[in-house]
């Protein structure tokens, strides 16, 4: 049963990521990203990280992605035209690079063949996460709030209309 | 029992695709989307490890990664807006004023 | 005490050099002469201290500071006062003082007044260091130092191209000699492991009882010859004599002090200092004697044909220095030093007197435009007469005693085989006659006869020139030195004149500090024959008579015809300078221009330096391409970098820890 779910989510995620890559219109790419986020949520649930799964939906899909969509619509983005690529080599580098990177990572991954472990459950219960956040990791927690503040301020200042 | 390597493999593939997206796309927003893909792949890896080694720290880290990703997306998009205002285009190849 | 003696002129030089420009001439003169005067008094005091000591122990040693201590090389500054350096500091400071006083008047009105006295004092310091040094290296410091001051003072009128060139010539020719000197010093250190005079001479005396024979070039001879090269340069002997006549471009007091009385005698001093060494090398002694005699004769012939009053005196100096080297070569070191002292007196008088004349005629130096001056400058004339008779070698003037001593010792020299001794004597004798002739010529053409100096103003019109006697500040030194020219010789009175009853005081005093001459195996004295006092008196009388005859004859001759033409060969100094120019100077200049400059400097060195810059620029041009300004290129670069780092961790090391 688990395997089936895993497979479904995996295919969805990879398919969606490919769509992000291959679509011409940024809007389509953003929506594909949305699908991928959903697939990942499924993964998190499978892995027992319930709190994170929820957070993923609320924040990632619900806030960040919405922000992307707003900006896309605000700027009235068009589909990418097939213009003459000024530096074609970058394009051609992409695939071999991807292959290399993938190979490296998979090599790393194979290390873990020797350590099969049971997939855990009930590790990511909300209560547990909450407790850790507010005790051991309290300082980073507070700092992130400041970080958010800075980001907000930054975004506001940067995108402000010039006063004539 | 799903071996850990399967999860890690998926995450690796996602990461790679994200990287290629950043390479290939000329549209600034599309590049940012690629970055988001990469970040998510990393998140997946972290959660995987957290789960399989019963270590909560991984998930905490993911939490923070998400926070930072949000901040980054906000500021990054603000910059994209500025870029658009000045150049009327989102093509990053046009933005080479810093060329030596 | 010795420290104060030496350092005082240095302090004055420093003060005058830094602050002198703001002060009045009086203050400068006071400081400049005062320091030398104080040194003079200290020298006198030191000398008396020295005299009080018994003859066998007449050495005062004052260490100053430790200078070099590297491995086995230990060189300190210390001052070594013995009979030899005692005599030297006395006459150097004394004559130096009076020349400084003279300069107060001579240099009046010159804008570089302070600079002049600063350099003169610096020179005094260097000379005293040279003379009082207790080891070769410190003496070399003084040696180079006086060369430097010579350069600075010859080129004192630096705006004159001729003076600047003359200064360079002096320094460069000296340098050639110094090269030999330096090699000698190195060889000494390599052989004996020390540079202290006392130690080196001690080792030599102990290890080498027998002198190296004539014709044998052993270790000691090599060292002696190398050092002699240095002496040749400093004391203007053939072939390095060419700088001295051109050095007359400097102010006359400079010529008097440096190029007559003190610096040029440094070579003689050095040989006397190393007399133990030289006494053990018959080859070196022979060469020295020969070079000295040849130079004396050679220079005398040239002096006969010069029209510039200072040049006559310059060649005269070269000639008299030849006498001193001749004396050293025949083993009569004390006679050489004796002549150094008397020469200092009468040559200084002659130069200062010439300076007096030159200033009176508004810096005219050509004798053809002088004449009849004895009426206008009686004091100068009188003192010049004293110098003239002294240098000619007439009794009872000082020059007679010293020159005669040298000639006698040459005749009876134990260091050279018989026929050579006579030949050398003959050369000395001929030189004495020539000396009488050219000096008489100088006196007569300058002071006697018709006045020719009116010719000077013809082309310039305006003021008629009436020379007058120089002020007291200039004439008093003349009188002092003239007195010494007359009376200074009695200290070295040879035994012969008193039938052996009164010993030669000078020789007795300075003798223990010097080596006794070695005896050549072929010499008569080795066979037991000793020529006696009678011979000495006879030779002396012959010389005096010949000189007197020459003197009177020349006087008559030049009175009649002062402007008589001179042989071109002599007037052009045997074309030696031209020869050197063709042989050495021109090839060097060409070689430097063509090879050293074009090939080496421009191509190689400039090439290297510019090449570095060019390669940097080339690298930059290539690396610049990284800065594309394109976001996507940067992305690629980041990605590749990440790939590499990841690869490093995977393949090389840094295991990723797995729990």
């Amino acid at each position: 049963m688990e395997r089936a779910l895993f497979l479904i989510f995996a295919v969805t995620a990879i398919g969606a990521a490919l769509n992000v890559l291959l679509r011409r219109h940024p809007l389509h790419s953003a929506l594909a990203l949305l699908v991928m986020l959903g697939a990942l949520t499924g993964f998190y649930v499978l892995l027992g990280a319930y709190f994170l799964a929820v957070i993923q939906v609320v924040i990632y899909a619900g806030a960040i992605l919405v922000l992307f969509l707003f900006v896309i619509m605000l700027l009235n983005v068009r589909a990418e035209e097939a213009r003459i690529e000024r530096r074609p080599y970058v394009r051609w580098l992409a695939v071999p690079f991807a292959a290399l990177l993938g190979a490296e990572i998979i090599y790393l991954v194979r290390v873990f063949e020797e350590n099969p472990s049971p997939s855990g459950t009930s590790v990511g219960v909300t209560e547990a996460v909450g407790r850790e956040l507010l005790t051991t990791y309290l300082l980073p927690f507070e700092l992130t709030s400041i970080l958010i503040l800075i980001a907000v301020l930054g975004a506001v200042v940067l995108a402000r209309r010039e006063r004539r | 029992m799903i071996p850990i390597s399967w999860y890690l493999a998926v995450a690796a593939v996602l990461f790679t695709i994200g990287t290629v997206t950043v390479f290939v796309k000329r549209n600034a927003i599309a590049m940012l989307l690629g970055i988001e893909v990469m970040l998510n792949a990393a998140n997946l890896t972290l959660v995987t490890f957290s789960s399989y080694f019963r270590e909560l720290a991984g998930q905490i880290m993911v939490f923070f990664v998400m926070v930072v990703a949000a901040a980054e997306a906000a500021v990054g998009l603000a910059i994209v807006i500025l870029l658009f205002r000045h150049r009327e285009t989102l093509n990053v190849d046009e933005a080479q004023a810093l060329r030596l | 005490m010795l420290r104060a003696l030496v350092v005082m002129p240095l302090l004055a030089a420093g003060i005058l050099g830094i602050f002198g420009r703001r002060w009045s001439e009086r203050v400068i003169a006071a400081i400049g002469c005062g320091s030398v005067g104080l040194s003079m008094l200290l020298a006198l005091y030191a000398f008396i201290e020295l005299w009080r000591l018994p003859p066998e122990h007449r050495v005062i040693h004052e260490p100053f500071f430790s200078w070099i201590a590297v491995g086995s090389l230990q060189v300190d500054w210390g001052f070594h006062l013995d009979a030899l350096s005692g005599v030297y500091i006395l006459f150097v400071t004394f004559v130096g003082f009076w020349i400084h006083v003279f300069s107060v008047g001579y240099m009046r009105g010159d804008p570089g007044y302070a600079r002049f006295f600063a350099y003169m004092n610096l020179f005094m310091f260097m000379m005293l260091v040279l003379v009082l040094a207790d080891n070769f290296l410190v003496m070399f410091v003084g040696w180079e130092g006086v060369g430097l001051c010579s350069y600075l003072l010859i080129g004192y009128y630096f705006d004159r191209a001729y003076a600047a060139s003359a200064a360079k010539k002096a320094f460069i020719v000296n340098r050639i000699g110094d090269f030999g000197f330096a090699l000698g010093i190195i060889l000494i250190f390599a052989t004996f492991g020390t540079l202290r005079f006392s130690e080196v001479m001690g080792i030599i005396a102990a290890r080498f009882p027998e002198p190296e024979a004539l014709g044998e070039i052993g270790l000691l001879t090599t060292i002696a010859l190398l050092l002699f090269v240095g002496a040749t340069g400093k004391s203007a002997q053939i072939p390095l004599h060419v700088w001295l006549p051109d050095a007359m471009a400097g102010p006359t007091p400079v010529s008097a002090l440096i190029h007559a009385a003190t610096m040029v005698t440094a070579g003689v001093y050095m040989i006397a200092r190393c007399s133990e060494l030289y006494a053990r090398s018959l080859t070196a002694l022979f060469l020295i004697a020969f070079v000295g005699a040849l130079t004396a004769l050679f220079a005398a012939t040239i002096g006969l044909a010069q029209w510039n009053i200072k040049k006559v005196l310059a060649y005269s100096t070269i000639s008299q220095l030849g006498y001193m080297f001749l004396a050293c070569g025949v083993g009569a070191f004390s006679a050489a030093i004796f002549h150094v002292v008397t020469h200092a007196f009468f040559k200084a008088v002659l130069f200062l007197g010439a300076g007096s004349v030159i200033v009176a005629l508004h810096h005219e130096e050509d004798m053809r435009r002088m004449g009849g001056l004895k009426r206008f400058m009686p004091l100068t004339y009188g003192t010049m007469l004293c110098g003239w008779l002294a240098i000619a070698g007439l009794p009872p003037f000082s020059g007679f005693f010293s020159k005669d001593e040298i000639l006698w010792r040459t005749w009876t020299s134990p260091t050279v085989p018989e026929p050579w001794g006579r030949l050398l004597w003959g050369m000395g004798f001929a030189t004495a006659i020539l000396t009488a002739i050219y000096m008489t010529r100088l006196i007569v053409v300058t002071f006697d006869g018709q006045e020719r100096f009116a010719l000077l103003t013809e082309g310039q019109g305006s003021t008629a020139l009436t020379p007058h006697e120089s002020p007291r500040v200039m004439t008093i030194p003349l009188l002092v030195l003239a007195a010494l020219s007359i009376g200074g010789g009695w200290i070295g009175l040879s035994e012969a004149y008193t039938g052996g009853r009164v010993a030669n005081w000078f020789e007795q005093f300075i003798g223990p500090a010097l080596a006794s001459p070695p005896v050549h195996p072929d010499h008569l004295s080795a066979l037991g024959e000793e020529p006696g006092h009678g011979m000495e008196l006879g030779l002396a009388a012959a010389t005096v008579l010949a000189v007197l005859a020459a003197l009177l004859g020349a006087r008559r001759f030049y009175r009649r015809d002062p402007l008589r033409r001179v042989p071109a060969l002599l007037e052009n100094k045997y074309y030696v300078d031209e020869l050197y120019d063709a042989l050495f100077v021109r090839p060097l200049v060409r070689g430097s221009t063509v090879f050293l400059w074009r090939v080496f400097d421009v191509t190689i060195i400039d090439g290297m330096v510019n090449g570095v810059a060019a390669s940097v620029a080339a690298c930059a041009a290539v690396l610049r391409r990284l800065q594309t300004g394109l976001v996507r290129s940067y992305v690629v670069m980041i990605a590749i970098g990440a790939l590499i780092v990841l690869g490093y961790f995977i393949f090389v090391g840094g295991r990723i820890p797995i729990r």
Side-chain angles (χ1 to χ4, degrees):
Chain A
M1 182 56 192
E2 259 188 47
R3 297 210 172 190
L5 278 176
F6 175 85
L7 222 53
I8 295 173
F9 290 137
V11 171
T12 314
I14 291 177
L18 280 174
N19 261 306
V20 171
L21 172 62
L22 296 173
R23 283 288 165 184
R24 291 262 171 80
H25 201 298
L27 186 62
H28 301 165
S29 297
L31 292 174
L33 183 64
L34 180 62
V35 172
M36 194 192 97
L37 292 175
L40 278 186
T41 309
F43 273 130
Y44 293 162
V45 171
L46 261 184
L47 286 170
Y50 307 125
F51 176 66
L52 275 183
V54 176
I55 294 293
Q56 171 95 328
V57 176
V58 171
I59 293 184
Y60 236 117
I64 296 175
L65 204 62
V66 170
L67 184 60
F68 268 102
L69 288 172
F70 268 130
V71 171
I72 290 173
M73 287 192 268
L74 180 66
L75 297 184
N76 208 1
V77 182
R78 304 262 159 68
E80 217 170 76
E81 283 108 38
R83 235 172 297 156
I84 302 150
E85 176 85 41
R86 222 175 291 185
R87 295 215 174 192
Y89 69 83
V90 176
R91 276 232 157 136
W92 304 127
L93 264 186
V95 172
F97 174 82
L100 257 178
L101 185 60
E104 269 192 12
I105 295 178
I106 295 200
Y107 178 91
L108 267 178
V109 164
R110 277 162 107 259
V111 167
F112 291 93
E113 285 291 5
E114 293 107 48
N115 303 318
S117 294
S119 89
T121 50
S122 73
V123 179
V125 178
T126 311
E127 188 204 330
V129 176
R131 183 174 299 135
E132 283 298 302
L133 267 183
L134 290 174
T135 52
T136 320
Y137 299 98
L138 181 59
L139 182 60
F141 184 66
E142 301 299 335
L143 285 178
T144 49
S145 54
I146 299 182
L147 180 68
I148 301 275
L149 179 64
I150 294 171
V152 168
L153 280 176
V156 167
V157 166
L158 277 176
R160 202 163 44 165
R161 287 243 176 245
E162 300 285 322
R163 298 267 177 80
R164 300 283 159 169
Chain B
M1 279 288 95
I2 302 177
I4 186 174
S5 52
W6 286 26
Y7 281 105
L8 295 180
V10 172
V13 173
L14 286 179
F15 187 81
T16 313
I17 296 177
T19 315
V20 176
T21 311
V22 173
F23 269 26
V24 172
K25 290 286 180 176
R26 264 171 290 166
N27 190 302
I29 296 182
M31 289 172 84
L32 281 173
L33 289 175
I35 292 175
E36 294 302 326
V37 171
M38 285 160 74
L39 279 171
N40 273 286
N43 281 352
L44 180 59
T45 316
L46 278 168
V47 172
T48 310
F49 280 129
S50 157
S51 167
Y52 273 70
F53 295 120
R54 299 185 183 273
E55 185 63 48
L56 203 51
Q59 296 188 28
I60 307 290
M61 229 185 299
V62 172
F63 177 82
F64 287 123
V65 169
M66 285 196 200
V67 170
V68 171
E72 166 247 327
V75 175
L77 285 171
I79 293 176
V80 166
I81 291 179
L82 268 181
L83 186 70
F84 184 78
R85 267 201 219 135
H86 278 278
R87 292 189 187 269
E88 297 298 320
T89 174
L90 281 174
N91 189 340
V92 294
D93 281 346
E94 301 288 332
Q96 35 170 338
L98 281 183
R99 184 198 177 82
L100 211 57
Chain C
M1 161 189 55
L2 288 174
R3 271 170 260 174
L5 199 168
V6 171
V7 169
M8 195 111 56
L10 179 65
L11 281 175
I15 294 175
L16 284 176
I18 301 176
F19 301 111
R21 251 175 300 162
R22 321 197 200 135
W23 293 335
S24 69
E25 280 188 2
R26 273 177 161 228
V27 173
I28 297 172
I31 297 178
C33 295
S35 64
V36 182
L38 278 173
S39 283
M40 176 177 74
L41 293 172
L42 283 170
L44 187 60
Y45 179 67
F47 188 80
I48 295 177
E49 284 294 315
L50 188 72
W51 196 5
R52 291 237 200 96
L53 299 171
E56 316 81 53
H57 301 294
R58 277 219 183 102
V59 177
I60 296 179
H61 189 264
E62 231 184 75
F64 196 3
F65 61 89
S66 173
W67 185 26
I68 302 175
V70 176
S72 60
L73 178 61
Q74 175 84 22
V75 176
D76 301 326
W77 277 60
F79 296 124
H80 177 94
L81 185 70
D82 65 354
L84 177 61
S85 42
V87 166
Y88 255 83
I89 60 172
L90 262 191
F91 85 82
V92 163
T93 52
F94 186 78
V95 174
F97 174 69
W98 289 110
I99 294 182
H100 275 75
V101 171
F102 182 87
S103 314
V104 170
Y106 188 87
M107 301 297 294
R108 190 170 291 159
D110 191 292
Y113 207 71
R115 185 163 60 100
F116 180 80
F117 278 99
Y119 287 159
M120 291 285 270
N121 270 334
L122 185 64
F123 168 80
M124 293 301 293
F125 166 70
M126 290 295 180
M127 188 71 201
L128 289 168
V129 164
L130 196 162
V131 164
L132 284 171
D134 71 345
N135 62 68
F136 277 97
L137 203 56
V138 176
M139 180 164 104
F140 193 61
V141 170
W143 188 272
E144 292 286 335
V146 294
L148 171 70
C149 295
S150 172
Y151 167 81
L152 291 171
L153 285 164
I154 296 174
Y156 176 74
Y157 299 118
F158 52 75
D159 46 346
R160 284 185 217 165
Y162 174 59
S165 300
K168 268 186 282 184
K169 182 177 181 180
F171 197 81
I172 293 174
V173 175
N174 250 231
R175 216 69 189 98
I176 300 175
D178 293 346
F179 180 58
F181 196 170
L183 284 179
I185 294 182
I186 294 172
L187 196 52
I188 288 177
F189 183 69
T191 317
F192 301 110
T194 172
L195 287 173
R196 279 248 180 115
F197 290 126
S198 47
E199 290 169 19
V200 172
M201 298 305 148
I203 297 177
I204 292 180
R207 262 208 266 161
F208 298 87
E210 288 302 315
E212 291 179 7
L214 192 60
E216 170 194 339
I217 311 267
L219 173 70
L220 292 182
T221 307
T222 314
I223 298 178
L225 287 176
L226 284 172
L227 294 178
F228 178 58
V229 172
T232 311
K234 188 66 78 187
S235 300
Q237 299 296 290
I238 294 175
L240 296 174
H241 64 283
V242 289
W243 63 271
L244 192 48
D246 287 305
M248 297 298 116
T252 308
V254 170
S255 310
L257 180 62
I258 301 186
H259 306 124
T262 46
M263 184 179 95
V264 290
T265 62
V268 187
Y269 173 79
M270 189 266 293
I271 292 188
R273 200 21 105 214
C274 304
S275 52
E276 290 289 340
L277 169 67
Y278 282 95
R280 282 173 177 73
S281 167
L282 290 174
T283 314
L285 285 179
F286 184 74
L287 193 67
I288 294 175
F290 204 75
V291 168
L294 189 63
T295 307
L297 194 54
F298 174 79
T301 58
I302 301 180
L304 208 45
Q306 296 299 308
W307 287 110
N308 184 310
I309 192 173
K310 287 175 71 172
K311 290 236 166 98
V312 177
L313 292 174
Y315 282 104
S316 170
T317 304
I318 299 177
S319 178
Q320 297 300 307
L321 285 168
Y323 267 118
M324 297 171 210
F325 281 99
L326 171 62
C328 288
V330 297
F333 299 108
S334 62
I337 303 294
F338 187 28
H339 199 55
V340 166
V341 176
T342 58
H343 176 262
F345 297 145
F346 58 68
K347 200 37 86 48
V349 151
L350 287 170
F351 262 111
L352 293 186
S356 179
V357 165
I358 289 173
V359 138
L361 291 180
H362 294 277
H363 289 278
E364 176 60 64
E365 291 178 13
D366 194 322
M367 294 196 294
R368 289 172 285 202
R369 293 205 270 258
M370 299 182 185
L373 285 172
K374 68 180 170 196
R375 275 158 255 149
F376 300 93
M377 313 179 68
L379 250 168
T380 306
Y381 179 56
T383 51
M384 290 282 277
L385 286 181
C386 296
W388 166 51
L389 294 174
I391 195 174
L394 287 179
F397 293 85
S398 57
F400 162 70
F401 296 105
S402 59
K403 194 182 291 196
D404 224 69
E405 184 73 22
I406 295 178
L407 286 174
W408 171 240
R409 288 291 158 93
T410 309
W411 179 270
T412 64
S413 164
T415 64
V416 296
E418 263 309 297
W420 294 105
R422 309 279 191 245
L423 173 65
L424 289 172
W425 180 90
M427 289 166 87
F429 181 74
T431 308
I433 294 181
L434 286 174
T435 307
I437 297 178
Y438 70 68
M439 282 311 298
T440 310
R441 171 173 177 264
L442 186 147
I443 297 285
V444 166
V445 173
T446 308
F447 290 102
D448 284 344
Q450 239 188 353
E451 298 155 24
R452 293 184 297 278
F453 47 78
L455 299 170
L456 172 75
T457 55
E458 261 187 54
Q460 295 146 17
S462 67
T463 53
L465 190 59
T466 315
H468 52 82
E469 186 59 81
S470 298
R472 256 184 328 205
V473 74
M474 286 164 71
T475 52
I476 294 184
L478 282 175
L479 288 170
V480 170
L481 291 168
L484 280 168
S485 304
I486 301 175
W490 292 96
I491 53 171
L493 184 66
S494 173
E495 284 183 359
Y497 297 98
T498 54
R501 261 171 274 144
V502 178
N504 186 335
W505 182 87
F506 186 85
E507 194 180 337
Q508 271 208 321
F509 180 75
I510 207 169
L514 305 167
S516 34
V519 179
H520 190 276
D522 292 338
H523 198 264
L524 283 181
S525 55
L527 306 173
E529 268 182 45
E530 275 280 0
H533 293 313
M535 190 66 169
E536 187 177 346
L537 291 172
L539 279 177
T543 316
V544 170
L545 282 173
V547 163
L548 198 55
L551 204 148
L552 291 170
R555 186 148 162 269
R556 171 104 75 80
F557 185 79
Y558 285 111
R559 270 222 174 130
R560 232 186 287 157
D561 191 6
L563 296 175
R564 182 181 176 83
R565 300 227 352 228
V566 292
L569 178 67
L570 298 183
E571 190 176 354
N572 288 308
K573 11 180 190 92
Y574 295 94
Y575 300 106
V576 172
D577 276 319
E578 287 78 2
L579 182 68
Y580 284 176
D581 185 55
L583 266 184
F584 302 115
V585 176
R586 295 235 190 99
L588 264 179
V589 170
R590 281 220 60 215
S592 303
T593 322
V594 171
F595 178 65
L596 282 181
W597 179 57
R598 286 211 205 115
V599 172
F600 200 69
D601 195 31
V602 171
T603 315
I604 298 182
I605 296 187
D606 278 356
M608 279 208 295
V609 174
N610 291 345
V612 169
S615 55
V616 169
C619 280
V622 170
L623 288 174
R624 204 191 298 152
R625 306 244 201 97
L626 280 177
Q627 299 269 346
T628 55
L630 281 184
V631 176
R632 290 170 67 196
S633 304
Y634 293 153
V635 169
V636 172
M637 292 179 212
I638 293 174
I640 293 180
L643 202 60
I644 293 174
V645 172
L646 200 57
Y648 172 81
F649 276 112
I650 292 177
F651 297 111
V652 177
R655 305 290 310 161
I656 300 164
I658 305 159
R659 217 155 33 102

